[in-house]
Amino acid sequence: KSQEELLIPPTPCHAKTNVMFLKTHKTASSTVLNIMFRFAERYNLTVALPADQLFHLGYPRTFVAHFVEGFKTIGQNYNIMCNHLRFNPLEVKRVMAANTFYFSILRNPIPLLESSYIYYKNNVPAFRSSKNVNEFLASPTKYYHPADYRENIYARNIMWFDFGYNNNAEDDTQYTQAVLEEIEQNFHLILIADYFDESMILLKHALCWDLDDVIYFKLNSRSQDTVQTLTPESEEQIKAWCSLDWKLYLHFNQSFWRRIEETIGLEVLQKEVDHLRARQRELMETCLSEQEAVRKDDIRNKALLPFQSGAADILGYNLKQDLDNRTLRTCQKMVIPELQYTSYLYAVQHPHKKRKEVGLPLLWTNLQER
């Protein structure tokens, strides 16, 4: 290279602070939400939180701007949006700035459906009336009635639904192709939950964030003994029964790896993933008394108990007892479950409104003092 070329400094990128994350169901999205909330606090950003006592932005109704607390007064001045909503690009654009970065996450529909089955067993008629996931999949139409479609959304093509499309649509090539193209136009990046660490590195690069911004402890996961083993027949059946989600997943799994090869390269990716995992282990050693997630009955501080659903035992964490205040605060934010964190941010951003009732002991007070 000539001298002149070497004199040009690389342009440092600036952390993107206007970010919209479409939170999909059972896709490790609670862990991503925690990352987004911590980032918002670090940079003192405004989060588009659900209005009043809600914990999601109108879901499963299609999103409209007034589902956001304070939209009438705050207008288009939100930086971060990441609570559950059913995507509606025009309404989201009323809330988020023009230069907002849009991303979402998908998961392989096979483990996804099994996870939904356990988590939503009591809420979804199609799941409730079948003995187990394999029985449901042997003849889904026996249990799944389109008339109950609102209650049954978790039983079929849930990701397609979250993106704002009809989860009972015919799987027609022209239609699915058009939807995939539309999603590509609306979103700058689609992550893959099955490669979560790789996803975090890709996200870090795309947003120009630091490694510590994407460090996480896995949230809202469940104990292994509630996992039901799918038969090979069931696995094949999911691809047919949730064929819209299957196409969605295959398409974006491909573009995910293509994106990595074009922007980071597999070698750098591996180095950064190792770095991420090392930093994560370090933080777990600092913060956690057990070095891992524990079952709901073993969570000592009930304010840190995650919402429990269906037949799943949702895991949480115990923090070490003798942490100094600064470390305690960092650690608390890593492990605070979604509903509690939403309620806490709401209290900070909207101090004059009635606080969101989590139905659990009030959050620790020292967090209120910031």
Side-chain angles (χ1 to χ4, degrees), residues 191-299:
L191 303 176
I192 300 292
D194 312 75
Y195 304 100
F196 194 80
D197 289 346
E198 293 82 354
S199 289
M200 289 308 98
I201 299 306
L202 190 53
L203 183 68
K204 169 179 105 71
H205 280 263
L207 295 174
C208 187
W209 287 8
D210 299 337
L211 185 68
D212 266 7
D213 291 325
V214 297
I215 292 286
Y216 67 92
F217 296 161
K218 202 168 161 189
L219 295 176
N220 207 34
S221 62
R222 60 190 161 130
S223 63
Q224 270 317 106
D225 56 15
T226 62
V227 177
Q228 294 183 7
T229 308
L230 293 161
T231 63
E233 295 77 35
S234 289
E235 296 199 353
E236 284 311 304
Q237 179 67 16
I238 291 172
K239 295 180 195 174
W241 173 244
C242 296
S243 63
L244 300 172
D245 270 4
W246 185 246
K247 281 189 170 175
L248 186 63
Y249 177 75
L250 290 181
H251 178 88
F252 284 105
N253 184 40
Q254 240 179 344
S255 64
F256 174 81
W257 290 104
R258 204 166 48 238
R259 177 82 164 258
I260 280 172
E261 277 165 19
E262 287 165 7
T263 56
I264 313 175
L266 291 173
E267 214 171 308
V268 173
L269 176 75
Q270 199 43 59
K271 270 204 193 76
E272 292 205 29
V273 164
D274 292 343
H275 195 167
L276 175 86
R277 288 176 181 159
R279 180 78 182 105
Q280 186 183 42
R281 276 194 300 277
E282 204 177 288
L283 263 170
M284 290 186 115
E285 274 162 31
T286 302
C287 294
L288 304 178
S289 53
E290 284 92 352
Q291 307 305 299
E292 60 177 7
V294 299
R295 302 182 62 128
K296 61 181 178 200
D297 297 338
D298 299 326
I299 298 169

Side-chain angles (χ1 to χ4, degrees), residues 326-344:
R326 193 169 156 206
T327 311
L328 176 67
R329 190 146 314 169
T330 302
C331 296
Q332 277 176 335
K333 291 185 175 165
M334 298 285 299
V335 304
I336 173 172
E338 179 177 333
L339 301 187
Q340 288 93 312
Y341 211 156
T342 301
S343 170
Y344 161 68

Side-chain angles (χ1 to χ4, degrees), residues 132-197:
N132 57 45
V133 68
N134 291 307
E135 184 183 273
F136 168 71
L137 286 163
S139 49
T141 48
K142 187 167 127 191
Y143 306 102
Y144 182 96
H145 306 297
D148 304 332
Y149 111 96
R150 265 283 192 268
E151 287 79 57
N152 270 334
I153 47 179
Y154 303 105
R156 187 177 200 189
N157 295 313
I158 179 62
M159 296 188 292
W160 198 262
F161 181 87
D162 286 349
F163 274 87
Y165 302 100
N166 173 7
N167 59 323
N168 289 307
E170 285 296 311
D171 182 352
D172 162 80
T173 312
Q174 232 181 327
Y175 164 69
T176 52
Q177 205 41 52
V179 166
L180 294 175
E181 280 168 26
E182 194 165 60
I183 292 173
E184 270 179 345
Q185 276 160 10
N186 285 327
F187 290 85
H188 298 94
L189 179 64
I190 303 284
L191 303 176
I192 300 292
D194 312 75
Y195 304 100
F196 194 80
D197 289 346

